[in-house]
Amino acid sequence: MATGPQRLQITARYRRGIAVLRCKPLRATLLVSLLIVGLLGSAAGSVAAQQPYDLVIRGGRLLDGSGNPWYAADVAVQGDRIAAVGDLAGARARRVIDATGLYVAPGFIDDHSHAGPGLATPELSGARPLLAQGITTVVVNPDGGGPVDLVAQRAALLKDSLGVNVAQYVPHGSVRRAVLGMANRDPTPAELDRMRALVKAGMEAGAFGLSSGPFYAPGSYAKTAELVALAKVAAQYGGVYESHIRDESDYTVGLIAAVDEVIQIAREAQLPSIVAHIKALGPHVWGSSMAVTERIQRARDAGLQVFADQYPYTASSTSLTAALLPRWAEAGGDSALQRRLKTPADLVRIRAAMVDNLERRGGADRLQIARYAADPSLDGQTLEAIARARGKDPLDAAIELVQGGGAGVVSFNMWGADVDLFMQQPWTMTCSDGTLVRMGEGVP
């Protein structure tokens, strides 16, 4: 199995870091994060031979990342390495941290992060907001989005000295756009070969796998066979497949069929596959978590490596366009979309689809504008409030916002019981799905 040298380098760094957490009844709340470059797992050696240590973290409840419950242990650091783990009561150190009542854990891995663009800037490359949460590794370019040229992205990330480890996905949506633009059609054999070549180049540049977003244009224009073909390339390099699934509600194929697509790709491409930020989005599919978890568990029982990641809250974030407009309206790119919004016959069709999509999102009072560049004063307001202030129907107000350049939205559209059930599954990983922005910039 071929493996790129940069991929090996990232893998070797994957477990670095320690986070210290305070324990409260029924929950763990972040108190302070201490990031240490070293590999966790060293046994407690001879205290006399190791003295004096640079640092000893004493009296904490150690979570070693193996899945075992916590146990009482001290951690000693020498230079950039964890030198000993165990009872170090007699050890001397230049610095001692009293971790009594706190958890000590490996640095957290955020396996679904949009922090890549922020980390490539001088202001945010140090990743202090991530480190403050105990996050020491992020996986970027999820949902099929991000740059195609991973070598250039890597150089940009390293330019100002990264504060966290970064793993990259090859983004299918960007690969498709590079070859087919925003065309709503299947690739020709030659075009599919070009897409395979781009995925191959990304994997050889060190990517961890292929990400997709068949909910979003242009990824939504790809059929399952195209995703399987490209996932097979990632599989040749030991990669994984991650997907913002085709439908988290009942927009098109439905939630269950969209999960089945990920399972099918795992089976046919023979690689681990991840249902990204797993959820049942909107009132139409609330309560579907049981059916989804049973589907995934059956696939796992059959020997497939199917996983999910999840953010632990009941709101999601996307664009107003993605939330409300039909994908056919986006074919050809933004200029084509704007032309359709000004063409009466097309506008009638678009608005008719928006009626159902707004209902899927739970109504205009559940859509909050997160970032509207044309008028930042609207940030934080619901679509319902904006429509009321303008004396318009919420759908017409939404169309005006899209015509004004589009907006980011926070959508409050999930049921707590579904969130809880997904969270309890042993194959579910916690993620942030978060961005990294300068103070005052808001959500992109």
Side-chain angles (χ1 to χ4, degrees), residues 14-332:
Y14 211 61
R15 295 173 57 209
R16 293 182 178 177
I18 292 179
V20 184
L21 304 173
R22 183 186 299 279
C23 177
K24 288 187 176 181
L26 302 181
R27 62 184 296 182
T29 303
L30 183 67
L31 172 66
V32 62
S33 300
L34 173 64
L35 286 309
I36 302 171
V37 179
L39 293 175
L40 183 62
S42 302
S46 168
V47 173
Q50 297 293 337
Q51 294 182 27
Y53 294 113
D54 292 328
L55 172 68
V56 169
I57 303 171
R58 190 162 312 210
R61 299 174 176 182
L62 185 64
L63 293 162
D64 62 12
S66 66
N68 291 326
W70 68 267
Y71 57 93
D74 306 321
V75 178
V77 178
Q78 188 69 41
D80 65 354
R81 298 279 169 167
I82 293 175
V85 176
D87 183 359
L88 305 176
R92 293 186 296 111
R94 295 179 178 87
R95 184 185 178 200
V96 175
I97 293 178
D98 181 5
T100 303
L102 307 180
Y103 285 116
V104 181
F108 304 136
I109 299 169
D110 186 353
D111 83 300
H112 187 115
S113 172
H114 295 272
L119 291 172
T121 66
E123 299 88 349
L124 296 170
S125 61
R128 292 178 66 88
L130 303 179
L131 300 178
Q133 300 173 71
I135 296 170
T136 57
T137 300
V138 294
V139 186
V140 301
N141 306 335
D143 304 334
V148 174
D149 188 343
L150 298 193
V151 173
Q153 183 187 38
R154 179 186 176 90
L157 288 167
L158 293 174
K159 181 179 178 181
D160 297 296
S161 300
L162 277 172
V164 291
N165 302 310
V166 176
Q168 300 161 286
Y169 281 128
V170 182
H172 164 260
S174 301
V175 167
R176 192 177 217 278
R177 188 190 294 263
V179 176
L180 282 83
M182 290 292 289
N184 184 3
R185 62 173 177 82
D186 293 337
T188 65
E191 288 169 337
L192 185 59
D193 283 344
R194 288 172 58 195
M195 293 167 70
R196 286 192 183 100
L198 290 175
V199 175
K200 181 175 185 288
M203 295 304 299
E204 291 186 346
F208 264 52
L210 175 73
S211 77
S212 75
F215 174 72
Y216 296 110
S220 58
Y221 306 141
K223 293 186 174 65
T224 304
E226 176 183 318
L227 298 173
V228 169
L230 299 181
K232 285 181 177 179
V233 177
Q236 294 172 7
Y237 293 82
V240 305
Y241 172 75
E242 178 265 3
S243 181
H244 181 305
I245 59 177
R246 196 174 293 274
D247 193 349
E248 296 173 327
S249 182
D250 62 347
Y251 277 88
T252 52
V253 300
L255 172 60
I256 301 300
V259 171
D260 283 345
E261 182 178 46
V262 175
I263 294 171
Q264 178 183 347
I265 292 168
R267 180 186 301 111
E268 295 185 12
Q270 299 183 29
L271 81 174
S273 296
I274 302 167
V275 177
H277 41 57
I278 192 168
K279 65 172 71 72
L281 187 153
H284 291 189
V285 293
W286 284 353
S288 298
S289 54
M290 180 63 74
V292 171
T293 56
E294 288 182 352
R295 214 81 166 195
I296 293 175
Q297 190 58 55
R298 284 202 300 269
R300 291 175 58 82
D301 291 343
L304 299 179
Q305 296 188 61
V306 182
F307 302 87
D309 61 41
Q310 179 200 37
Y311 45 71
Y313 27 87
T314 56
S316 63
S317 182
T318 187
S319 70
L320 187 63
T321 300
L324 296 184
L325 271 63
R327 292 296 166 267
W328 64 261
E330 297 181 75

